[in-house]
Amino acid sequence: MWRELLPVGRHAGTGGYRRYAWTAADAECRDWFRDQARARGLGYEVDRNGNQWAWLGDPAAGDAVVTGSHLDSVPDGGAFDGPLGVVSSFAALDELRARGARPARPLAVVNFGDEEGARFGLACVGSRLAAGQLTPEAAHRLKDADGVTLPQAMERAGYDPGAIGPDPERLARIGAFVELHVEQGRALDLSGHRVGIASAIWPHGRWRFDFRGEANHAGTTRLEDRRDPMLTYAETVLAARKKARLAGALATFGKVAVEPNGVNAIPSLVRGWLDSRAADQETLDAVVAEIERSARRRGERDGVAVDVVRESFTPVVEFGHALRDRLAALLGDAPVLPTGAGHDAGILSGSVPTAMLFVRNPTGVSHSPAETAAEDDCLAGVTALADVLEGLACS
Ligand code: HGY
Ligand code: MN
Ligand code: MN
Ligand code: MN
C-alpha cells in the first residue's frame, strides 16, 4: 500500500513531493485512495467538497468513528506528512479485521482535500468547507500563482465547484475523529516514545506583507536615490527572527514574490508571507504586531509603503479531555504533547469530538524531502490506532 503511494507526485530532482490541490498528482493520490477503499470492499464516496470517504458499515447509522488525514503536500514536502495518517488508517482497519473485531459503530477512513494550502494559500480547505469555517464565496475567490481560481481548478479536475459548502449532516454523523500524523518535531524522540497523543494545537496564522517601492535601473540609480522594497523586506525578515526569539514564538517568511523580478531592476513590489505561531494567543498577537511595527518603521526610512493583510488564522485548539483521556487509557504510557502544526483534526475539533496520535519522527524534520519515520515506529502507530478504533467502535 505504502509503496504504491510513494512515487506519486514525487519530484525526481529534489525527491520532494508536489501534490497540490486539484492537480494531476492530486488526482493520482485520489485514485490510490479510491482503489484502496474498493480493494477492501469499503463503501467509497466523495463529499460535496471533494473529501474522500471509505466506510466500513452504514454511515447513516451515525456515531461513526472516523480516522484519516490528507494526501496533498507543501512544495517539496516529505513522504509522511499526511499520507502516514491515511495509510495507517487503512492498515488499522486491516488489523481490526485480522483481530476478528466486530465494529458496533460505523468506521471510516477520510482523505481531506487541500490540507496544506500549497496552491491557493489557505490551509485545510476541504475540512474548513465541511465545518463551515470557509464560505463557498470565499473559496471561489481563492486563486493560485498563475491566476487559476479554485473553481476553475476543481472543474478541470472533474469536480463541481458549485456543490461546495458546509456539511453539517455529515459531521453530525461522526461520534469521534482520530487523526494519526507523523510528529513534526522531536518531543517523542527526546522522550523515547514511539507514539504520543496531542494535547493542543498552537494558535497560528499567515500574514501577507506588501512592500511597495519604486522600480528603477540597478545600474544607474544611486543608493541614496532608491526606494528599494527588497531592502525593507530583508530588514523585516531579520527583525521577525529577533522578535520571535525574544517572545518565545515562531515566525517564518518562507514565501516571497518580487515584481518585476529582474536581476538588473530595483523591484517595485516585494510580497512576503509570514507564518507565525505561538503557544498562546497573547504572545502571537504581540509578536506579529511587533514585526508589523518594525516593517513600517523601516519602510518610512526606505521610502517604502508597507501593507499587511492577515490571510488566514487558526485559534488555539485544545483537544477535548474525554476522548483524549480515553486514548490515554487505551494506549498505556503514551505521552501527551502540543504541536505548532495545523491539522484537519484542529479544524474539525469545533464540530466533532477529535483527537490526534503522533508517530515518532527521529529528526523532527518535516515539510522537507528529508522527513522520515522508522518502520517499526510506523507499525507501532498502526497498532495504537487499531487499539483506539477497537476501543472506541467495537463491542
Ligand atoms: O502548516 C501547517 O501547520 C500544516 O502542515 N498545514
Ligand atoms: Mn504539513
Ligand atoms: Mn499534515
Ligand atoms: Mn514513559
Side-chain angles (χ1 to χ4, degrees):
M1 176 167 47
W2 180 251
R3 278 179 236 308
E4 291 147 40
L5 186 59
L6 268 183
V8 176
R10 188 172 207 171
H11 186 262
T14 63
Y17 287 86
R18 299 182 178 178
R19 297 167 172 167
Y20 312 144
W22 312 115
T23 60
D26 186 49
E28 268 191 81
C29 289
R30 289 168 175 277
D31 291 349
W32 172 88
F33 183 95
R34 178 204 56 214
D35 297 348
Q36 293 302 323
R38 288 190 175 149
R40 290 169 175 77
L42 301 173
Y44 172 69
E45 58 165 345
V46 182
D47 70 20
R48 61 186 306 188
N49 297 304
N51 303 309
Q52 295 176 290
W53 301 75
W55 287 95
L56 179 62
D58 175 6
D63 200 24
V65 177
V66 177
T67 183
S69 190
H70 63 95
L71 293 174
D72 68 309
S73 75
V74 294
D76 281 348
F80 295 80
D81 174 357
L84 182 67
V86 179
V87 170
S88 301
S89 298
F90 281 119
L93 284 195
D94 296 346
E95 170 72 18
L96 286 191
R97 282 171 153 170
R99 294 180 187 176
R102 304 175 58 74
R105 299 163 67 175
L107 285 165
V109 177
V110 63
N111 166 33
F112 282 112
D114 199 2
E115 189 275 349
E116 293 292 4
R119 181 174 178 184
F120 296 101
L122 177 68
C124 301
V125 172
S127 53
R128 282 184 203 270
L129 281 167
Q133 294 179 25
L134 172 66
T135 63
E137 296 72 25
H140 278 225
R141 285 196 294 271
L142 293 173
K143 212 177 265 187
D144 72 8
D146 300 323
V148 178
T149 65
L150 177 74
Q152 287 165 337
M154 287 185 75
E155 255 160 11
R156 291 175 193 173
Y159 288 76
D160 172 11
I164 65 174
D167 215 343
E169 302 76 37
R170 177 178 296 274
L171 298 188
R173 290 199 298 268
I174 300 175
F177 173 61
V178 181
E179 178 171 5
L180 179 144
H181 205 283
V182 65
E183 187 194 350
Q184 294 162 306
R186 290 191 56 217
L188 289 176
D189 182 52
L190 295 171
S191 67
H193 288 84
R194 293 180 189 279
V195 176
I197 299 168
S199 56
I201 294 178
W202 283 10
H204 58 283
R206 299 178 183 188
W207 289 261
R208 197 190 75 228
F209 281 60
D210 289 349
F211 301 90
R212 290 185 196 292
E214 181 182 55
N216 214 325
H217 195 302
T220 57
T221 312
R222 297 184 313 159
L223 295 184
E224 56 270 46
D225 294 335
R226 296 182 179 206
R227 292 198 294 117
D228 182 354
M230 187 65 89
L231 185 64
T232 315
Y233 167 71
E235 289 291 346
T236 302
V237 172
L238 294 173
R241 166 63 73 97
K242 214 162 80 191
K243 306 288 181 198
R245 193 177 47 245
L246 289 173
L250 298 175
T252 313
F253 275 97
K255 178 180 173 181
V256 66
V258 183
E259 289 175 14
N261 211 23
V263 67
N264 56 353
I266 300 165
S268 54
L269 168 68
V270 174
R271 186 159 272 173
W273 280 265
L274 169 71
D275 175 313
S276 193
R277 316 190 185 202
D280 59 80
Q281 186 67 49
E282 201 186 334
T283 304
L284 179 61
D285 292 344
V287 77
V288 172
E290 270 291 297
I291 295 168
E292 186 171 342
R293 250 193 305 280
S294 158
R296 293 191 190 288
R297 255 198 315 272
R298 183 68 213 202
E300 276 159 28
R301 260 183 65 180
D302 301 336
V304 167
V306 178
D307 250 334
V308 182
V309 176
R310 188 177 83 172
E311 290 196 334
S312 70
F313 180 71
T314 305
V316 64
V317 170
E318 301 279 354
F319 287 108
H321 279 260
L323 187 55
R324 196 179 107 182
D325 295 349
R326 190 92 172 71
L327 266 62
L330 287 163
L331 297 181
D333 80 338
V336 177
L337 57 149
T339 179
H343 298 282
D344 293 309
I347 299 299
L348 286 191
S349 66
S351 324
V352 170
T354 301
M356 286 195 77
L357 291 179
F358 290 126
V359 169
R360 176 162 56 184
N361 174 336
T363 63
V365 170
S366 185
H367 284 188
S368 153
E371 182 185 73
T372 185
E375 185 165 347
D376 49 4
D377 287 344
C378 296
L379 293 173
V382 171
T383 304
L385 184 58
D387 292 347
V388 164
L389 297 181
E390 187 171 15
L392 294 178
C394 302
S395 47

